[in-house]
């Protein structure tokens, strides 16, 4: 069709160009006379409808023919384009097969739910809701696909209507011999229009038919969801009411229900649910499986490479007991808590499978982390846990389980008491964690026992299942944090080029402090989410939180939402976390890998931190829909505050930015500011940290680094000049002294350029002072080299009998009693201050005073 239309256009163009050439021989007056235009139209064309007769009276016959040619060309292309678009048919094969199945499945779900209405529970309804959600999402996908086609057909119909309304398609040449090809080509163009129009109508009818089916399914799902919601509300009302008899009363429930039949039906139903859920989220399953395999292979290869290449491999691997002994279980434990959050609206059977996988993985690690005692408790109560977990998958209420649930609640209360006693006796962090987890287990299982006794069976079963599952999951999440930190340490060690395991372990300790907080927050979030989900409060909690956060609040003339504020705070927190950790990792990289000052990021990290914070601030404002004009008001208010009380803070902030650009100091530089000296550890937004040589950390405002005299020992290089003042006695051979000092300065760690110098400096009271100057390669070794040189000087002076003078003092005694030895030998006898022997006491005092002064000198 497309080739035929193009060929027609070429024929029309050639024919009309010939006609135009023939008309060019006629007088201009005949072409330009406006009074003959209507007559020319009547002469050339006949119209099927007089209403479409052109009203223009200013065009000649040649102009009209040119207009017809242009329109014909344009419409030929338009119809060809529409035909191509219509050729992309709506693929209805899959929809024709699945839409009736979806409708039938929805009706069957409703029928089965109505049939089981007397034995429904929340797990049953949650499973049905997930199944309905699966089919509804498939129906919505078809609805979206059909709606896109409807919109496309609507656009095609609009364009087709404009073409059909043109007068070109209602006129025919009176004399086909005048231009032989025009009349037939116009007929073919009209035929093409009829063909496109018929295809359009056919597809419009087909699309409307499937749209009707999808709409019918949508109505069925709306009714089904309403029905399930009504049953949930009914169960919620019955949740806290008495369902069955007290244990000491006669049995009020039917005994005809077969527990094995219910278990079998539930397993079949859960298998069907799992199959549908896997089909719906197959790409997520595939992604998680690939991630698990890749992480496991990476960790295993890392352990092998460390064992082959590292000098301290045994020490490193001793610190990763989890991965060394149980690589796959540890890898699985890292990823399972993340998988719990990745999958949306999972069925209960899938959550149970993930929880069981976490318990199995934790069973291999429990002994190494918590000891033999808790390991015994863990496995002793594992069988009751599995039975309760399987029982939670039953769709229907089976009151025959009452005594088993009652007994299991008592068992788990006893388990909590045993764990609590063990936790109270210890003082480690994991003992504190176990104490709170045991209290949770005792409280929730005790509540389940009491509600069972008072006839609230469903409530009792829900809380009993939640208590034991979340107890085991809590221990698994605690292990997750430790295993995750161990994995970080493993990868850090593998990335080290040097084999100094001790230095890298201290780095890991610092990193562990930074990561532990956020890991514990994540683990706690997963655990709390599990509690709410298993108790059946997730939907209600989600609805309440959503309404609370998204409700409009009014403060004066400003309308805001708590959700916007919360989102703004979260984004700022994430930005701050990223900024701080970027600075941390950059400083660690500078200290470990940068060989020169120019290779370090140093104070430039401050610019990165500011950029991250500013970008996070604006993203937070955009996400929270905070108008930027409000910021101008805040900045105006801040300008007043800056003028009064914030000018020091702003001064330090601007000084920090100047430090980042000018880079007079870098992280790792040895500097001295006023009386403070040490190594730069951090250049912050407001202040910088200097680690003094005694180990203390000095916080210096950035403004002081610019306003005070700053000494940077390592700005250009790390060389350091050392100065010593050496005093010798006046009786020493000065040439010998100088030669000895010059010989000492020929040591290996003393630089030859600049060359060492020895100068006679000063004539003191008791010594002649020499000034010794020499250079060392690095600030890191100057103290050690200085000590080596002084030791060598002392030894060389002793070998050459060169005296190092020290202060001396002569003491003269006027008289000493003849019996002073007897006086000293009788310490218990008093000595009269008037006796001559009292001079002995003065002598002792003078001697002690002179010894003290000599030691001071």
């Amino acid at each position: 069709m497309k080739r035929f239309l193009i060929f027609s256009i070429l024929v029309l163009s050639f024919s009309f160009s010939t006609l135009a050439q023939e008309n060019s021989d006629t007088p201009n007056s005949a072409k330009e006379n406006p009074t003959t235009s209507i007559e020319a139209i009547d002469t050339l064309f006949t119209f099927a409808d007089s209403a479409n007769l052109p009203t223009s009276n200013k065009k000649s016959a040649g102009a009209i023919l040119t207009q017809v040619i242009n329109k014909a060309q344009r419409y030929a292309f338009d119809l060809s384009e529409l035909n191509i678009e219509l050729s992309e048919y709506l693929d209805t094969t899959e929809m024709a097969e699945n839409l009736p199945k979806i409708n039938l499945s929805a009706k069957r779900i409703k029928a089965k739910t109505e049939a089981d209405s007397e034995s429904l529970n929340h797990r049953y309804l949650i499973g049905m809701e997930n199944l309905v959600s699966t089919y509804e999402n498939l129906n919505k996908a078809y609805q979206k696909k059909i709606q896109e086609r409807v919109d496309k057909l609507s656009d095609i119909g609009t364009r087709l209507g404009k073409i059909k309304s043109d007068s070109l398609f209602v006129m025919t040449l009176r004399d086909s011999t005048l231009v032989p090809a025009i009349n037939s080509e116009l007929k073919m163009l009209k035929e093409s229009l009829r063909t496109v129009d018929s295809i359009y109508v056919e597809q419009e009818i087909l699309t409307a038919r499937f749209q009707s089916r999808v709409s019918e399914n949508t109505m069925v799902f709306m009714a089904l969801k309403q029905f399930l919601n009504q049953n949930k509300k009914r169960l919620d009302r019955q949740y806290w009411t008495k369902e069955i008899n007290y244990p000491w009363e006669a049995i009020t429930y039917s005994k005809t229900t077969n527990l094995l039949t219910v278990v079998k039906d539930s397993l079949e139903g859960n298998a069907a649910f799992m199959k549908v859920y896997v089909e719906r989220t197959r790409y997520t399953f595939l992604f998680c499986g690939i991630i698990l395999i890749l992480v496991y292979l990476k960790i295993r290869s890392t352990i092998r490479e460390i064992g082959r290449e590292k000098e301290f491999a045994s020490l490193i691997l001793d610190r990763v007991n989890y991965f060394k002994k149980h690589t796959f279980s540890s890898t699985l434990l890292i990823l399972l808590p993340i998988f719990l959050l990745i999958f949306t609206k999972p069925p209960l059977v899938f959550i149970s499978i993930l929880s069981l996988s976490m318990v199995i993985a934790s069973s291999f690690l429990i002994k190494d982390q918590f000891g033999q005692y808790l390991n015994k408790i863990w496995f002793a109560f594992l069988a009751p846990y599995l039975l309760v977990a399987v029982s939670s998958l039953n769709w229907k209420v089976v009151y025959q389980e009452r005594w088993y649930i009652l007994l299991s609640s008592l068992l788990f209360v006893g388990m909590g008491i045993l764990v609590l006693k063990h936790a109270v006796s210890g003082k480690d962090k994991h003992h504190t964690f176990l104490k709170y987890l045991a209290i949770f287990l005792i409280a929730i299982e005790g509540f389940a026992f009491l509600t069972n006794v008072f006839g609230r069976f469903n409530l009792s079963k829900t809380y009993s299942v939640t208590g034991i599952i979340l107890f085991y999951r809590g221990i698994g999440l605690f292990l997750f944090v430790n295993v995750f930190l161990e994995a970080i340490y493993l990868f850090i060690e593998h990335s080290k080029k040097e084999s100094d395991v001790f230095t890298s372990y201290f780095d890991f300790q610092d990193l562990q402090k930074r990561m532990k907080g956020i890991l514990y927050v994540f683990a706690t979030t997963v655990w709390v989410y599990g509690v709410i989900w298993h108790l059946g409060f997730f939907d209600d909690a989600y609805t309440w939180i959503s309404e609370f956060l998204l409700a409009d609040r009014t403060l004066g003339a400003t309308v805001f939402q708590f959700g916007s504020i919360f989102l703004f705070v979260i984004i700022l927190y994430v930005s701050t976390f990223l900024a701080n950790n970027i600075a941390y990792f950059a400083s660690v990289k500078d200290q470990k890998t940068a060989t020169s000052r120019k290779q370090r990021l140093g104070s430039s990290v401050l610019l990165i931190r500011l950029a991250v914070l500013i970008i996070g601030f604006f993203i937070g404002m955009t996400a929270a829909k905070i108008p930027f004009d409000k910021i101008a008001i805040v900045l105006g208010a801040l300008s007043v505050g800056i003028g009064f009380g914030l000018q020091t803070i702003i001064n330090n902030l601007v000084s920090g930015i100047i430090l980042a650009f000018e880079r007079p100091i870098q992280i790792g530089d040895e500097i001295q500011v006023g009386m403070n000296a040490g190594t730069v550890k951090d250049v912050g937004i407001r202040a910088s940290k200097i680690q003094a040589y005694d180990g203390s950390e000095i916080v210096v405002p950035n403004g002081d680094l610019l306003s005070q005299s700053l000494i940077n020992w390592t700005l250009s290089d790390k060389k350091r000049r050392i100065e010593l003042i050496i005093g010798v006695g006046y009786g020493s051979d000065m040439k010998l002294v100088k030669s000895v000092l010059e010989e000492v300065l020929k040591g290996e760690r003393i630089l030859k350029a600049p060359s060492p110098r020895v100068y006679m400096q000063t004539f003191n009271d008791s010594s002649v002072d020499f000034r010794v100057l020499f250079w060392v390669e690095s600030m890191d070794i100057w103290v050690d080299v200085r000590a080596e040189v002084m030791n060598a000087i002392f030894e060389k002076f002793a070998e050459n009998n060169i005296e190092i003078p020290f202060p001396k003092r002569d003491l003269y005694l006027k008289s000493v009693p003849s019996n002073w030895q007897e006086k000293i030998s009788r310490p218990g006898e008093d000595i009269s201050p008037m006796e001559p022997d009292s001079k002995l006491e003065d002598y002792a005092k003078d001697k002690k005073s002179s010894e003290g002064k000599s030691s001071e000198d």
Side-chain angles (χ1 to χ4, degrees):
M1 176 63 72
K2 183 177 180 182
R3 292 180 178 177
F4 177 77
L5 289 174
I6 294 173
F7 174 77
S8 302
I9 292 167
L10 293 175
V11 172
L12 282 170
S13 301
F14 176 79
S15 302
F16 285 126
S17 63
T18 304
L19 179 62
Q21 185 177 2
E22 293 174 357
N23 289 337
S24 64
D25 297 332
T26 62
N28 292 334
S29 59
K31 292 189 293 181
E32 297 177 359
N33 187 1
T35 60
T36 63
S37 60
I38 299 298
E39 290 80 355
I41 294 174
D42 290 336
T43 302
L44 292 171
F45 298 99
T46 60
F47 292 89
D49 186 356
S50 59
N52 291 317
L53 182 65
T55 58
S56 174
N57 59 358
K58 296 183 179 180
K59 294 182 180 179
S60 64
I64 291 173
L65 287 174
T66 303
Q67 182 181 4
V68 171
I69 293 171
N70 292 335
K71 282 187 176 181
Q73 291 177 343
R74 185 173 71 251
Y75 288 149
F77 280 114
D78 290 344
L79 288 173
S80 178
E81 186 177 309
L82 291 176
N83 192 40
I84 293 173
E85 292 180 9
L86 288 172
S87 65
E88 298 174 358
Y89 286 93
L90 177 66
D91 186 7
T92 58
T93 306
E94 182 182 354
M95 288 190 289
E97 181 182 356
N98 289 335
L99 286 175
K101 290 182 179 179
I102 292 174
N103 187 279
L104 182 61
S105 299
K107 292 179 179 178
R108 285 179 176 176
I109 291 172
K110 185 175 182 181
K112 184 169 179 57
T113 306
E114 289 176 345
D116 298 335
S117 59
E118 297 299 325
S119 58
L120 292 178
N121 57 30
H122 278 82
R123 290 175 294 281
Y124 184 102
L125 293 177
I126 289 174
M128 288 300 182
E129 283 183 343
N130 286 330
L131 192 59
V132 169
S133 176
T134 300
Y135 289 124
E136 187 180 22
N137 290 338
L138 184 58
N139 190 70
K140 286 181 178 179
Y142 291 147
Q143 186 179 24
K144 181 181 179 182
K145 191 175 181 180
I146 292 172
Q147 188 60 45
E148 290 176 354
R149 190 60 182 173
V150 168
D151 295 339
K152 186 69 174 177
L153 289 175
S154 176
D155 178 63
I156 292 174
T158 302
R159 291 153 59 191
L160 193 60
K162 291 181 179 179
I163 296 174
K164 290 168 64 177
S165 64
D166 196 277
S167 61
L168 178 66
F169 294 93
V170 295
M171 60 186 183
T172 308
L173 280 171
R174 291 182 181 275
D175 186 2
S176 59
T177 61
L178 182 61
V179 184
I182 290 183
N183 204 36
S184 61
E185 300 303 336
L186 285 175
K187 289 181 180 179
M188 294 180 66
L189 191 60
K190 294 173 185 177
E191 183 64 27
S192 176
L193 175 62
R194 283 193 296 270
T195 302
V196 172
D197 188 50
S198 63
I199 295 173
Y200 164 74
V201 172
E202 179 185 349
Q203 290 203 20
E204 198 173 34
I205 293 172
L206 178 66
T207 305
R209 186 164 66 248
F210 279 95
Q211 190 176 28
S212 175
R213 292 182 184 179
V214 170
S215 299
E216 180 185 356
N217 288 346
T218 302
M219 298 299 294
V220 171
F221 283 123
M222 289 178 62
L224 181 56
K225 289 172 68 176
Q226 185 178 6
F227 173 76
L228 293 175
N229 192 40
Q230 289 175 351
N231 279 279
K232 283 185 68 176
K233 290 181 178 179
R234 178 177 61 83
L235 288 180
D236 287 338
R237 289 193 297 268
Q238 296 176 356
Y239 214 49
W240 297 87
T241 59
K242 182 180 178 182
E243 300 173 87
I244 56 177
N245 58 284
Y246 298 133
W248 53 86
E249 294 179 341
I251 295 177
T252 59
Y253 54 86
S254 175
K255 299 181 181 180
T256 59
T257 305
N258 191 332
L259 179 60
L260 293 178
T261 303
V262 172
V263 171
K264 182 180 177 182
D265 293 342
S266 299
L267 289 177
E268 292 176 355
N270 285 315
F273 276 175
M274 192 63 191
K275 180 181 178 181
V276 173
Y277 187 72
V278 170
E279 291 177 354
R280 189 181 75 179
T281 58
R282 56 183 177 273
Y283 294 113
T284 307
F285 271 95
L286 181 62
F287 171 77
C288 292
I290 292 174
I291 291 297
L292 176 61
I293 294 172
L294 291 178
V295 173
Y296 168 70
L297 294 177
K298 176 63 178 176
I299 291 176
R300 193 175 67 172
S301 64
T302 300
I303 293 174
R304 289 179 179 177
E305 290 177 10
I306 289 176
R308 288 196 306 263
E309 299 174 2
K310 292 292 182 178
E311 181 180 351
F312 298 99
S314 59
L315 293 176
I316 297 173
L317 295 179
D318 285 343
R319 294 178 183 145
V320 289
N321 288 324
Y322 298 136
F323 286 103
K324 182 181 178 182
K325 297 179 181 178
H326 312 288
T327 307
F328 183 77
S329 298
S330 301
T331 306
L332 191 63
L333 201 58
I334 288 177
L335 297 176
L336 281 175
I338 302 173
F339 292 166
L340 283 170
L341 297 182
I342 288 179
F343 291 93
T344 57
K345 293 185 178 181
L348 181 61
V349 60
F350 179 66
I351 293 295
S352 299
I353 291 173
L354 288 183
S355 298
L356 180 60
S357 301
M358 183 178 290
V359 170
I360 294 173
S362 301
S363 298
F364 294 97
L365 313 179
I366 192 76
K367 183 177 179 180
D368 292 334
Q369 178 64 44
F370 295 101
Q372 183 66 33
Y373 181 80
L374 190 66
N375 185 58
K376 292 179 180 178
I377 295 176
W378 176 276
F379 285 100
F381 289 90
L382 191 58
Y385 158 76
L386 294 176
L387 290 175
V388 170
V390 172
S391 174
S392 68
L393 297 177
N394 288 339
W395 282 12
K396 297 181 181 180
V397 177
V398 185
Y399 292 119
Q400 284 82 351
E401 294 180 316
R402 176 185 190 173
W403 294 104
Y404 167 68
I405 297 298
L406 195 69
L407 178 62
S408 63
S409 298
L410 281 177
L411 283 175
F412 296 141
V413 168
M415 177 184 181
I417 293 173
L418 292 175
V419 174
L420 183 61
K421 287 182 178 179
H422 172 69
V424 170
S425 63
K427 296 182 180 180
D428 296 335
K429 288 184 178 180
H430 70 262
H431 287 100
T432 304
F433 161 76
L434 286 175
K435 180 175 69 174
Y436 290 115
L437 195 61
I439 292 172
F440 163 79
L441 180 63
I442 294 170
I444 198 168
E445 293 294 343
F447 178 78
F449 177 81
L450 292 177
T451 53
N452 197 331
V453 169
F454 288 102
R456 279 72 174 174
F457 171 74
N458 279 306
L459 185 65
S460 170
K461 184 175 180 179
T462 299
Y463 276 78
S464 180
V465 170
T466 301
I468 190 60
I469 287 179
L470 269 298
F471 176 82
Y472 275 88
R473 184 180 296 180
I475 292 180
L477 288 171
F478 185 84
L479 291 171
F480 155 78
V481 174
N482 290 276
V483 172
F484 200 101
L485 292 172
E486 194 173 271
I488 293 174
Y489 170 67
L490 193 65
F491 287 122
I492 288 176
E493 286 302 324
H494 181 255
S495 63
K496 296 287 182 183
K497 293 182 180 180
E498 66 277 4
S499 58
D500 187 1
V501 64
F502 304 104
T503 304
S504 59
Y505 183 72
F506 289 124
D507 293 344
F508 168 69
Q509 296 293 340
D510 192 12
L511 184 62
Q512 188 181 45
K513 293 177 182 178
R514 291 178 169 271
M515 294 296 295
K516 253 188 178 180
I518 193 168
L519 288 175
Y520 277 130
V521 169
F522 173 78
T524 304
T525 302
V526 173
W527 188 82
V528 172
Y529 165 75
V531 173
I532 296 174
W533 193 91
H534 278 277
L535 291 178
F537 296 141
F538 180 77
D539 291 337
D540 295 334
Y542 180 82
T543 302
W544 181 83
I545 293 173
S546 299
E547 292 176 352
F548 175 78
L549 293 178
L550 300 179
D552 291 336
R553 318 281 175 172
T554 304
L555 183 63
T558 304
V559 179
F560 67 96
Q561 297 175 345
F562 285 139
S564 300
I565 298 175
F566 180 73
L567 181 61
F568 180 73
V569 172
I570 290 296
I571 293 176
L572 278 188
Y573 173 78
V574 172
S575 301
T576 304
F577 176 80
L578 290 175
N580 292 336
N581 282 278
I582 287 172
Y584 168 75
F585 286 112
S587 62
V588 171
K589 180 179 180 297
D590 283 350
Q591 293 175 14
K592 293 295 179 183
T593 62
T595 57
S596 66
R597 191 176 186 272
K598 293 181 179 180
Q599 292 178 336
R600 298 175 184 167
L601 289 173
S603 56
S604 300
V605 176
L606 175 60
L607 298 178
I608 300 175
R609 293 177 66 180
L610 287 175
V612 172
L613 290 175
I614 292 172
I615 292 173
F617 176 77
F618 283 107
I619 291 176
M621 286 187 57
T622 304
K625 298 179 181 179
I626 300 175
F628 284 89
D629 56 348
K630 305 295 183 183
I631 300 300
I633 300 174
V634 175
L635 292 177
L638 282 177
S639 62
V640 178
I642 292 170
F644 286 99
L646 300 178
Q647 53 184 336
T648 302
I649 297 176
I650 299 300
N651 175 42
N652 291 325
L653 173 61
V654 175
S655 298
I657 296 174
I658 294 173
L659 289 173
F661 277 106
E662 292 189 354
R663 305 179 73 179
I665 62 171
Q666 290 280 64
I667 296 174
D669 283 354
E670 305 288 339
I671 68 170
Q672 182 175 347
V673 183
M675 300 298 295
N676 301 317
T679 306
V680 179
K681 304 300 292 183
D682 178 48
V683 180
I685 296 176
R686 186 197 66 85
S688 300
K689 292 180 182 178
I690 300 174
Q691 186 171 18
Y693 299 119
D694 60 0
S696 62
E697 290 190 355
I698 306 169
V699 179
V700 181
N702 290 332
D704 293 348
L705 295 175
L706 292 181
S707 62
Q708 297 185 20
S709 297
L710 173 66
I711 300 174
N712 192 335
W713 296 99
T714 56
L715 181 61
S716 301
D717 54 52
K718 299 189 71 174
K719 289 188 292 188
R720 169 74 184 262
R721 193 191 72 173
I722 300 174
E723 178 180 2
L724 298 176
I725 303 297
I726 306 297
V728 297
Y730 275 93
S732 303
D733 185 348
M734 299 305 166
K735 293 183 179 180
L736 177 62
V737 170
K738 185 175 182 180
S739 63
V740 168
L741 292 176
E742 290 176 347
E743 181 182 356
V744 170
L745 295 180
K746 295 179 181 179
E748 293 182 359
R749 296 209 284 179
I750 298 174
L751 294 179
K752 304 303 182 290
S755 59
R757 290 286 187 270
V758 177
Y759 300 101
M760 185 179 289
Q761 179 80 5
T762 308
F763 297 107
N764 272 332
D765 294 339
S766 57
S767 66
V768 177
D769 293 342
F770 282 82
R771 187 185 184 195
V772 180
L773 302 174
F774 60 93
W775 291 80
V776 293
E777 184 178 7
S778 173
M779 280 285 300
D780 300 331
I781 61 172
W782 79 274
V783 175
D784 295 336
V785 176
R786 180 178 180 273
E788 291 176 4
V789 170
M790 292 185 69
N791 287 331
I793 290 173
F794 186 82
E795 292 174 0
K796 290 292 183 180
F797 279 8
E799 291 175 5
N800 292 277
N801 295 321
I802 298 174
E803 180 186 5
I804 301 177
F806 55 89
K808 297 179 180 179
R809 184 168 298 169
D810 295 330
L811 180 63
Y812 297 93
L813 298 178
K814 293 183 178 180
S815 61
V816 177
S818 59
N819 60 345
W820 64 273
Q821 292 180 340
E822 296 180 5
K823 295 287 186 180
I824 293 175
S825 63
R826 291 179 292 167
E829 182 179 346
D830 293 335
I831 301 176
S832 173
M834 299 303 294
E835 295 178 358
D837 293 343
S838 63
K839 293 182 180 180
L840 185 62
E841 184 178 355
D842 295 336
Y843 165 74
K845 290 181 179 179
D846 290 339
K847 185 175 182 181
K848 185 176 181 180
S849 176
S850 63
E851 289 176 354
K853 291 181 179 179
S854 298
S855 64
E856 290 177 0
D857 293 335

